């Protein structure tokens, strides 16, 4: 493959022979691998090569029922009664085993999801382990976390996750649920089931009591069956706003608790007094990290007019150095788009932006001939009325708007149905505090972007959902007081 600007990098592919992937996966229910009652399996592929990796079971309502029954049984008979200190040890053990198998997990994450191996290795897997470590510590300290409030577990949690951070989302969901004494039925996204199934193997190796964590695979219908199961106490969902709305409707009038982590369209705001070079790195990290498959991606750039030209020129130059291609290569910055479906959606938005008359910039890289890839793209001179500005693209596509005053940029940044995250770049602390207090966003990063830590809560405003994951806040949705 020819790469004009990166000719000096020799390929450095990560080995994959140590990753053990079965030819076929059943459902992980009650501590065992169980055949699906549908007898059906579906293929899971590598989006960078379009090759089949494995096939996984399709669970239907009957299988969901079996998994919920196993979770209920484990809750009543074992998990609820176990001293919290002992529960903490199991969670700690899971964390340790994720660390021990981190190389294998990173390789499988990249093979199945298309993200660069550097990201899986340096971000997804260690952050997943850190979530288990962090929540292991809380298990026997809930009385201290919520003094005089007598926190109690809820029961069975149904957890449904998307394809952009498969293992990490599973960790975000499972770790706090277990620490608070709940049991779990988790469904990964149809496109990226393999690391969750690997996690099931780890859970089995940790001797977690059968039924405490059940992992089942399937499509949207399987997720709906979990949501609608009468014996589920809590629903934790991360995914699109559309599905979030369906879930909220279907649980209306029930006693089920829910947290919804939905879409986003974050503003990344650069003031003229910002450290421009760092800001350019922040912009690149904000939107091109994980191919832009990030709900909190800094997908709307706002640059103060006086520095717009400089920022755009430096941004274009930096983008030209980004290596797009084989996600298994350790040099790669931007891997494969997660699925054909997602690539089609992104390409549709590229056309919409062009049709809206926006100036489009794409880097001169050559895309691999196989697999699903997209060039990092800018839409310059965008306005609030453009669809590429208001709708979530979930790809490596950045719109650029300019502004003159702080009031103007706050108004524009907030004028969107989403409110998950935002970024601000300035030398002035007072400006940061002024802006962060007025932004309707769950997370605001200042002079950095896409920083995550298990101790820090994450979640949205408005159509980005409700409830928080991470930190002390992340325990609350799994408890009653
Ligand atoms: P999605 O279509 O909403 O799917 C999310 C999960 O829900 C998948 O496991 C999916 O199964 C399942 N599902 C689909 N229909 C369902 C239904 N009717 N009832 C119950 N479950 C159902 O979202 P996606 O396309 O996978 O992910 C991208 C979206 O997630 C983006 O909008 C992004 O912003 C959002 N996201 C948000 C966060 C956050 O923390 N706020 C994090 C990551 C992603 P299938 O995969 O089988 O369809
Ligand atoms: Mg879907």
């Amino acid at each position: 493959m020819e790469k004009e600007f990166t000719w000096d990098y020799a390929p450095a592919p990560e080995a994959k022979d140590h990753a053990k992937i079965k030819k076929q996966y059943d459902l992980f229910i009650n501590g065992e691998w169980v055949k699906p009652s549908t007898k059906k399996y579906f293929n899971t592929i590598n989006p960078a090569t379009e090759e089949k990796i494995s096939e996984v079971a399709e669970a239907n309502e009957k299988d969901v029922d079996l998994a919920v029954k196993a979770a209920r049984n484990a809750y009543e008979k074992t998990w609820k009664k176990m001293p919290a200190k002992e529960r903490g040890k199991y969670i700690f053990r899971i964390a340790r085993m994720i660390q021990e198998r981190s190389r294998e997990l990173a390789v499988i994450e990249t093979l199945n999801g298309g993200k660069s191996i550097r990201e899986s290795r340096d971000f997804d897997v260690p952050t997943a382990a850190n979530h288990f470590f962090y929540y292991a510590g809380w298990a026997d300290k809930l009385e201290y976390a919520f003094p005089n409030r007598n926190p109690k577990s809820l029961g069975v949690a149904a957890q449904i996750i998307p394809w952009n951070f498969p293992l990490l989302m599973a960790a975000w969901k499972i770790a706090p649920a277990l620490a608070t004494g709940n049991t779990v039925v988790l469904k990964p996204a149809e496109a990226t089931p393999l690391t969750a199934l690997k996690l099931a193997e780890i859970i089995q190796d940790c001797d977690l009591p059968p039924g405490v964590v059940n992992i089942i695979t399937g499509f949207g219908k399987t997720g709906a069956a979990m949501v609608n199961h009468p014996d589920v106490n809590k629903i934790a969902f991360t995914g699109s706003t559309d599905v979030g709305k369906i879930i909220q409707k279907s649980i209306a009038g029930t006693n089920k608790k829910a947290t919804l982590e939905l879409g986003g369209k974050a503003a990344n705001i650069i003031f003229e007094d910002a450290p421009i070079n760092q800001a350019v790195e922040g912009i690149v990290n904000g939107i091109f990290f994980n191919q832009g498959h990030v709900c909190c991606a800094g997908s709307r750039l706002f640059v103060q007019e006086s520095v717009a030209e400089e920022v755009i020129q430096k941004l274009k130059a930096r983008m030209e150095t980004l290596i797009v291609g084989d996600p298994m290569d350790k040099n790669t910055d931007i891997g494969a788009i997660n699925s054909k479906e997602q690539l089609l959606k992104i390409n549709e938005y590229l056309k919409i932006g062009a049709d809206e008359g926006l100036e489009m910039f794409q880097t001169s890289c050559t895309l691999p001939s196989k697999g699903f890839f997209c060039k990092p793209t800018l839409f310059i001179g965008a306005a609030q009325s453009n669809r590429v500005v208001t709708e979530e693209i979930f790809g490596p596509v950045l719109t650029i708007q300019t502004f003159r005053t702080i009031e103007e940029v706050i108004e524009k940044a907030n004028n969107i149905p989403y409110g998950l995250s935002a970024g601000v770049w300035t030398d002035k602390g007072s400006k940061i505090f002024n802006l962060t207090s007025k932004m309707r966003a769950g997370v605001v990063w200042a002079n950095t972007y896409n920083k995550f830590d298990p101790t820090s809560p994450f979640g949205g405003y408005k159509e980005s959902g409700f409830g928080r994951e991470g930190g002390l806040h992340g325990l609350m949705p799994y408890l009653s007081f």
Side-chain angles (χ1 to χ4, degrees):
M1 191 176 68
E2 263 182 37
K3 287 195 197 133
E4 214 173 316
F5 289 87
T6 54
W7 51 269
D8 52 343
Y9 284 92
E14 170 73 41
K16 47 188 170 195
D17 41 354
H18 58 86
K20 288 196 193 69
I21 304 175
K22 290 193 274 189
K23 281 213 171 74
Q24 191 184 68
Y25 285 90
D26 291 320
L27 306 168
F28 184 66
I29 298 177
N30 209 22
E32 286 171 5
W33 296 95
V34 179
K35 299 245 171 269
S37 58
T38 56
K39 298 196 173 69
K40 280 193 214 151
Y41 293 81
F42 61 95
N43 290 345
T44 188
I45 66 154
N46 176 346
T49 61
E50 301 175 52
E51 283 160 1
K52 174 178 168 180
I53 311 176
S54 179
E55 53 187 43
V56 304
E58 182 184 339
N60 66 5
E61 280 166 13
K62 248 173 139 178
D63 303 304
V64 169
D65 185 51
L66 205 64
V68 173
K69 283 204 169 103
R72 171 63 57 193
N73 194 40
Y75 176 70
E76 299 294 346
K77 300 216 170 106
T78 322
W79 202 238
K80 187 166 86 170
K81 292 185 189 157
M82 188 183 283
K85 192 176 74 186
E86 297 305 313
R87 284 204 306 260
K89 286 184 197 166
Y90 281 108
I91 306 168
F92 188 72
R93 203 185 283 174
I94 297 171
R96 288 292 305 272
M97 212 166 293
I98 290 175
Q99 281 188 320
E100 276 167 27
R101 302 205 191 153
S102 56
R103 247 187 101 200
E104 185 181 20
L105 286 163
V107 166
I108 296 175
E109 198 72 307
T110 287
L111 288 174
N112 200 195
K115 67 175 65 193
S116 75
I117 184 70
R118 227 171 45 210
E119 251 165 53
S120 312
R121 182 194 65 191
D122 298 346
F123 178 71
D124 294 64
V125 178
T127 316
N130 284 346
H131 267 82
F132 281 103
F133 277 123
Y134 174 73
Y135 281 112
W138 274 125
D140 62 349
K141 301 176 194 69
L142 297 177
E143 298 290 341
Y144 301 93
F146 307 104
N148 304 319
R149 292 183 67 191
N150 190 22
K152 286 183 288 295
S153 55
L154 300 174
V156 177
Q159 307 185 317
I160 301 166
I161 58 176
W163 43 260
N164 57 346
F165 293 95
L167 180 70
L168 182 56
M169 288 296 123
W172 276 31
K173 298 274 181 284
I174 295 174
L178 297 187
T180 46
N182 298 282
T183 57
V184 165
V185 179
L186 176 122
K187 185 191 97 66
E190 67 196 59
T192 53
L194 293 183
T195 44
L197 293 164
K198 213 49 196 176
L199 185 61
E201 290 177 6
I202 287 176
I203 282 166
Q204 211 173 17
D205 290 349
C206 286
D207 287 328
L208 196 73
V212 172
V213 173
N214 304 276
I215 297 182
I216 60 174
T217 44
F219 302 99
K221 259 172 76 181
T222 314
M226 290 164 64
V227 169
N228 294 320
H229 194 289
D231 202 28
V232 159
N233 302 97
K234 149 90 192 161
I235 291 147
F237 172 80
T238 298
S240 61
T241 297
D242 287 349
V243 175
K245 285 179 181 171
I246 295 174
I247 291 177
Q248 212 176 354
K249 268 191 207 139
S250 50
I251 62 168
T254 71
N255 280 333
K256 292 173 189 170
K257 278 187 136 197
T259 36
L260 304 177
E261 304 279 358
L262 311 175
K265 191 79 185 179
N268 201 0
I269 301 168
I270 319 292
F271 286 98
E272 60 190 0
D273 58 4
I276 298 295
N277 292 341
Q278 281 100 311
V280 167
E281 276 309 303
I283 298 165
V284 167
N285 175 33
I287 184 66
F288 301 126
F289 170 58
N290 198 22
Q291 297 72 246
H293 296 336
V294 186
C295 46
C296 52
S299 51
R300 290 182 297 149
L301 180 65
F302 290 92
V303 193
Q304 200 155 19
E305 211 172 73
S306 50
V307 290
E309 209 172 304
E310 180 190 357
V311 169
I312 292 169
Q313 178 246 323
K314 284 186 167 165
L315 180 58
K316 284 179 176 174
R318 176 66 179 95
M319 283 166 68
E320 280 293 359
T321 68
L322 293 173
I323 303 175
V324 185
D326 179 8
M328 288 297 283
D329 191 320
K330 285 170 237 168
N331 296 316
T332 295
D333 298 299
I334 301 185
I337 299 301
N338 183 267
S339 65
K340 187 172 187 179
E341 195 187 2
Q342 187 60 24
L343 181 60
L344 290 174
K345 183 182 156 191
I346 296 167
N347 286 340
E348 209 180 291
Y349 276 107
L350 295 184
K351 189 166 176 302
I352 290 169
D355 288 348
E356 285 179 320
L358 299 178
E359 180 191 338
M360 179 163 133
F361 168 81
Q362 290 192 308
T363 64
S364 55
C365 65
T366 315
L367 298 182
S369 54
K370 272 214 144 166
F372 314 128
F373 291 89
C374 178
K375 291 185 179 186
T377 304
L378 301 178
F379 279 120
I380 302 163
Q384 291 293 101
S385 54
N386 293 130
R387 279 183 65 192
V388 285
V389 168
T390 54
E391 295 173 22
E392 188 184 42
I393 301 172
F394 225 58
V397 183
L398 178 68
T399 61
I400 305 183
Q401 295 171 260
T402 58
F403 68 93
R404 287 186 183 164
T405 66
I406 189 162
E407 293 76 24
E408 178 193 350
V409 77
I410 291 171
E411 152 110 47
K412 282 182 172 169
N414 279 336
N415 186 11
I416 191 127
Y418 296 113
L420 192 57
S421 60
V424 51
W425 297 79
T426 169
D427 209 19
K428 272 226 158 49
S430 58
K431 234 188 244 167
I432 293 174
F433 287 119
N434 180 10
L435 192 130
T436 47
S437 61
K438 290 179 184 148
M439 291 297 296
R440 299 282 295 156
V443 180
V444 184
W445 285 290
N447 293 327
T448 186
Y449 208 91
N450 273 341
K451 283 276 178 289
F452 290 91
D453 191 278
T455 63
S456 168
F458 183 86
Y461 279 79
K462 301 193 274 187
E463 291 201 6
S464 292
F466 52 79
R468 294 291 178 267
E469 291 187 304
L472 197 61
H473 298 68
L475 295 165
M476 288 205 271
Y478 291 97
L479 293 167
S480 67
F481 297 97

